[in-house]
Amino acid sequence: MEVQPIFDVNCVFCHGPEFSNAALLLNTYDHIMAGTSDNGPVVIPGNSTGSLIVQKLQGFASVGSPLMPPDGPVLSLEEIQTIIQWIDEGAMNTE
């Protein structure tokens, strides 16, 4: 299951090497898993509910802006479900 294309299209504009919001890079698997967000890890393998990235994508995060992306269209339910499934299945590297 590939999630990087979802991040590339929807997130890397703000969370990429040219402009990194919240010290979080989403342009590679290693960056996603590094948990360099100001709020700690954003992906907890096997636990999508506890993963901050899912909370942000669903609009119920308790830190910072509750919904991502803040200035663009929200991800589709299918895209969010793909990310949830990827995390729940262990957030393995598919690159």
Side-chain angles (χ1 to χ4, degrees):
M1 168 174 320
E2 291 192 36
V3 297
Q4 191 59 54
I6 297 171
F7 294 132
D8 289 345
V9 169
N10 298 285
C11 309
V12 170
F13 178 77
C14 291
H15 294 285
E18 287 82 34
F19 186 71
S20 178
N21 280 339
L24 175 64
L25 294 172
L26 297 175
N27 61 319
T28 69
Y29 175 81
D30 289 338
H31 286 144
I32 293 166
M33 300 309 292
T36 56
S37 168
D38 293 340
N39 300 299
V42 295
V43 171
I44 302 170
N47 182 359
S48 63
T49 304
S51 294
L52 182 59
I53 199 161
V54 172
Q55 295 169 11
K56 291 279 191 175
L57 294 174
Q58 292 180 326
F60 62 86
S62 60
V63 294
S65 175
L67 180 64
M68 287 290 148
D71 296 326
V74 297
L75 275 67
S76 71
L77 293 177
E78 182 179 315
E79 290 170 319
I80 294 171
Q81 187 55 45
T82 297
I83 294 168
I84 288 170
Q85 183 178 351
W86 170 71
I87 292 171
D88 286 340
E89 291 177 356
M92 303 302 290
N93 187 350
T94 59
E95 294 181 316

